[in-house]
Amino acid sequence: YHSDREHFTQIAKETGLSRTQVEYKFNRFIKEKIIKKFMTIFNYGALGYSTYAILLIKLGKFSSFNQFTKKLERNKNCISWGECFGKYDIFMNLIFRNEEEISKFLSDIINEKNEPISDYLIIKPHMAEFHSLKMFYDNKKPLFPITFPNEKEKKIDEKDIKILKILEKDNRTKLIDIAKETNLSAELVLYKIKKLKENGIILGSKAFLDMKKLGYNYSIILLNIRNLSEKIKKEIINFARNEKMVNALLLSLFNPNCVMQIFHKTDDELKDEIRKIKDFFKEETIDLEILLATDEDKINTLPLGIQIY
């Protein structure tokens, strides 16, 4: 999950299995679609997309769900989406160049006559990070930021973009196959990937897992903390990074000003996690809302219309 380009030999060493056992299990995970995709994590700020947002949508008629979500899969701003249950029907992870793009996206959705929406909530975090799956692995693994407020756009060429798009589809694509698809030498492909990493455009990689098949459910915790001081922010970040079930944290200036994504196996595990959060904020005034959700149905970490320099 945490480094899907890891060699089988290294995985065997870390797990105490033979290389043959690792390869067999790996291929079985793919065949059974426990591993749905090998993802590349990008620095959106370096690609000119500095604004990240989560959008929660309540459809006017649930009969429009399939038609609505099909459009999301083709949208250049939608990284991923999933179904949720409760006040809203759909959640979306979105990335934009600027506020103008956000306004146009919202206007197009709100004014859509064929799939009308009855309510929505947009969350624009100033800080957002995705964590390793701490219930699977004890060692510290890198956090993946998704907000880059001070990042400058980097210059990339057409070949760089082709390489990025290939790696988005499958991060384990072999160098020789990337070379064939881009009409470059394997040596030049390796050099370009190395430079994309050095320039902070490629941040890392991970496997996109079907958490339901592994027995996990997914919930989104929306919090509004009345007195969100800098001290409390630091404490929340530390809490989320160390809490076993928390997979992501977002902090925003507006209500809700804190969002946590949680994986849990049972309702009791979810209740225990809510108790921990309430206990953590026992001296603060908070509003808390829970959205039960499916894990992302589709994910495209590079849906953007990147410019070529």
Side-chain angles (χ1 to χ4, degrees):
Y1 176 84
H2 304 99
S3 181
D4 58 50
R5 287 189 74 88
E6 197 77 79
H7 294 295
F8 290 149
T9 303
Q10 182 61 31
I11 296 173
K13 183 180 177 181
E14 290 198 28
T15 58
L17 298 170
S18 69
R19 189 189 183 283
T20 302
Q21 287 175 311
V22 169
E23 188 171 1
Y24 170 78
K25 289 177 180 291
F26 182 86
N27 291 329
R28 180 169 62 84
F29 293 154
I30 295 171
K31 185 178 180 180
E32 295 177 2
K33 297 186 177 178
I34 291 172
I35 298 176
K36 297 167 75 173
K37 182 174 182 176
F38 300 105
M39 296 165 47
T40 304
I41 309 300
F42 300 102
N43 178 338
Y44 296 114
L47 293 171
Y49 287 75
S50 58
T51 305
Y52 167 68
I54 287 182
L55 183 62
L56 302 171
I57 289 288
K58 180 67 176 177
L59 297 171
K61 295 180 180 178
F62 193 72
S63 57
S64 63
F65 179 87
N66 289 337
Q67 190 173 349
F68 186 92
T69 54
K70 280 181 182 178
K71 289 184 178 180
L72 291 180
E73 293 174 18
R74 301 189 299 269
N75 188 276
K76 73 170 188 174
N77 301 107
C78 185
I79 302 169
S80 64
W81 65 269
E83 186 177 0
C84 49
F85 306 88
K87 187 176 179 180
Y88 301 100
D89 297 315
I90 300 168
F91 70 89
M92 298 170 240
N93 289 296
L94 305 162
I95 197 77
F96 301 95
R97 281 191 172 274
N98 46 46
E99 292 291 329
E100 184 179 347
E101 271 199 357
I102 294 179
S103 297
K104 184 179 184 307
F105 182 89
L106 284 175
S107 177
D108 290 344
I109 284 181
I110 293 168
N111 296 318
E112 176 59 59
K113 293 180 180 179
N114 294 326
E115 299 103 29
I117 66 169
S118 60
D119 195 11
Y120 73 92
L121 174 66
I122 187 163
I123 303 167
K124 293 187 288 183
H126 58 79
M127 178 271 188
E129 60 185 26
F130 286 90
H131 303 168
S132 60
L133 287 176
K134 290 163 280 191
M135 72 282 282
F136 287 170
Y137 208 71
D138 292 331
N139 291 0
K140 295 291 183 182
K141 291 294 179 179
L143 300 166
F144 289 120
I146 201 168
T147 49
F148 307 91
N150 300 315
E151 188 73 46
K152 291 184 178 179
E153 186 173 0
K154 305 288 176 63
K155 293 184 178 181
I156 56 177
D157 60 29
E158 186 176 358
K159 295 295 185 181
D160 290 327
I161 293 173
K162 284 185 178 180
I163 291 170
L164 292 177
K165 288 184 176 180
I166 292 168
L167 291 176
E168 191 286 323
K169 290 179 181 177
D170 184 353
N171 188 265
R172 292 184 70 90
T173 304
K174 294 178 181 178
L175 287 176
I176 190 68
D177 294 328
I178 298 175
K180 287 179 181 177
E181 200 164 334
T182 57
N183 292 319
L184 299 172
S185 67
E187 291 78 10
L188 184 54
V189 169
L190 180 61
Y191 171 78
K192 280 184 167 291
I193 291 175
K194 184 179 179 181
K195 294 300 292 184
L196 288 166
K197 290 180 178 179
E198 287 176 356
N199 291 332
I201 293 172
I202 294 177
L203 297 178
S205 59
K206 64 178 181 178
F208 178 35
L209 306 180
D210 188 328
M211 297 299 289
K212 191 70 177 175
K213 288 183 178 179
L214 295 173
Y216 286 88
N217 297 303
Y218 175 52
S219 294
I220 302 170
I221 311 299
L222 306 176
L223 289 159
N224 191 47
I225 304 140
R226 303 293 173 84
N227 178 31
L228 189 56
S229 64
E230 289 302 314
K231 178 177 178 293
I232 294 175
K233 284 181 185 178
K234 290 178 182 178
E235 290 174 352
I236 292 170
I237 291 170
N238 185 61
F239 172 85
R241 288 178 179 178
N242 289 284
E243 187 58 34
K244 185 178 179 181
M245 298 298 177
V246 177
N247 188 51
L249 173 70
L250 297 84
L251 296 175
S252 171
L253 296 175
F254 305 102
N255 184 10
N257 52 21
C258 178
V259 179
M260 293 185 192
Q261 296 180 359
I262 294 174
F263 284 113
H264 53 93
K265 281 196 169 183
T266 64
D267 289 344
D268 284 341
E269 280 190 352
L270 176 59
K271 290 172 185 175
D272 288 342
E273 205 62 35
I274 298 301
R275 287 191 191 100
K276 287 181 184 179
I277 293 171
K278 286 182 175 180
D279 187 59
F280 179 79
F281 290 111
K282 62 185 176 184
E283 301 299 329
E284 305 298 328
T285 303
I286 65 167
D287 297 317
L288 185 149
E289 184 176 354
I290 304 167
L291 286 178
L292 302 179
T294 60
D295 198 7
E296 287 98 332
D297 190 65
K298 299 288 182 181
I299 190 161
N300 176 6
T301 55
L302 196 72
L304 320 172
I306 305 170
Q307 294 181 357
I308 301 172
Y309 293 91

